C-alpha cells in the first residue's frame, strides 16, 4: 500500500515519490520425518520510490500513464517463529527478531491508471514489474530468492498542479 505525491511538468511528464509499505511472509520447513522445524518469517518494509511518469491519456476524471524508476526499502521489522517437532509432537517454539541493515534497492516499470476524486487527489492502481538488487544481507527473503517480481500497487495520490 502506498501514499504518493506527483508533480507534472506540462501535459506529458511528471515525477512521483512517496512512501510504500510492504510485507514479505515466508513459510520454512526443514528436517526429517522424525525431527523437523516449521517456521514462519515476516519482514515489514517501508520504501521510498522515485519515478518518472509519462502521461498517455489525461482527462478531468482519470488518466493513464507509464512509469519507471527506483525504490529504496528499509526493513523496519523482521521476525521468524520456529516450531520444533519430534516424532510428530511439538517440543518447543523459538522466536527470533531479525535485523536487515542494508537497504534493498529495486528498479521498476509499470502502467497506471489514476481516478481523480477531487482536484489534485485521486486513487491509483499500477500493475508492474520490478527487479530487486541483492543487498548482501544474510537474511533470506523473497527479494533474494526471486528478484523479479510482478506487482500491483494501489493507493492514494496527490498531484501538484503544473505551472
Amino acid at each position: 500500500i502506498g501514499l504518493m505525491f506527483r508533480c507534472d511538468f506540462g501535459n506529458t511528464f511528471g515525477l512521483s515519490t512517496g512512501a510504500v509499505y510492504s510485507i514479505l511472509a515466508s513459510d520454512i520447513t526443514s528436517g526429517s520425518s522424525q525431527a523437523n522445524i516449521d517456521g514462519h518469517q515476516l519482514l515489514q518494509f517501508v520504501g521510498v520510490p522515485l519515478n518518472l511518469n509519462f502521461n498517455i491519456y489525461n482527462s478531468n476524471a482519470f488518466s493513464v500513464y507509464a512509469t519507471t524508476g527506483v525504490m529504496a526499502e528499509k526493513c523496519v521489522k523482521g521476525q521468524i517463529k520456529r516450531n520444533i517437532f519430534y516424532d510428530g509432537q511439538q517440543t518447543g517454539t523459538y522466536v527470533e527478531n531479525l535485523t536487515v541493515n542494508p537497504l534493498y534497492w529495486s528498479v521498476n516499470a509499470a502502467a497506471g491508471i489514476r481516478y481523480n476524486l477531487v482536484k489534485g487527489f485521486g486513487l491509483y492502481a499500477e500493475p508492474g514489474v520490478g527487479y530487486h538488487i541483492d543487498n548482501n544481507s544474510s537474511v533470506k527473503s523473497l527479494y533474494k530468492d526471486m528478484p523479479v517480481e510482478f506487482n500491483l500497487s494501489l493507493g492514494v495520490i496527490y498531484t501538484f498542479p503544473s505551472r
Side-chain angles (χ1 to χ4, degrees), residues 80-115:
I80 186 165
K81 179 180 179 183
R82 295 179 181 100
N83 296 313
I84 303 164
F85 294 88
Y86 186 76
D87 281 337
Q89 300 293 318
Q90 185 171 344
T91 59
T93 298
Y94 178 71
V95 177
E96 177 185 358
N97 290 323
L98 301 173
T99 302
V100 181
N101 285 324
L103 294 176
Y104 274 100
W105 287 91
S106 61
V107 292
N108 61 73
I113 186 166
R114 181 178 72 225
Y115 176 74

Side-chain angles (χ1 to χ4, degrees), residues 24 104 132 134-147:
L24 296 183
Y104 274 100
H132 295 274
D134 189 358
N135 71 349
N136 296 318
S137 169
S138 62
V139 176
K140 302 246 326 153
S141 73
L142 190 62
Y143 287 168
K144 288 175 144 318
D145 292 344
M146 297 175 62

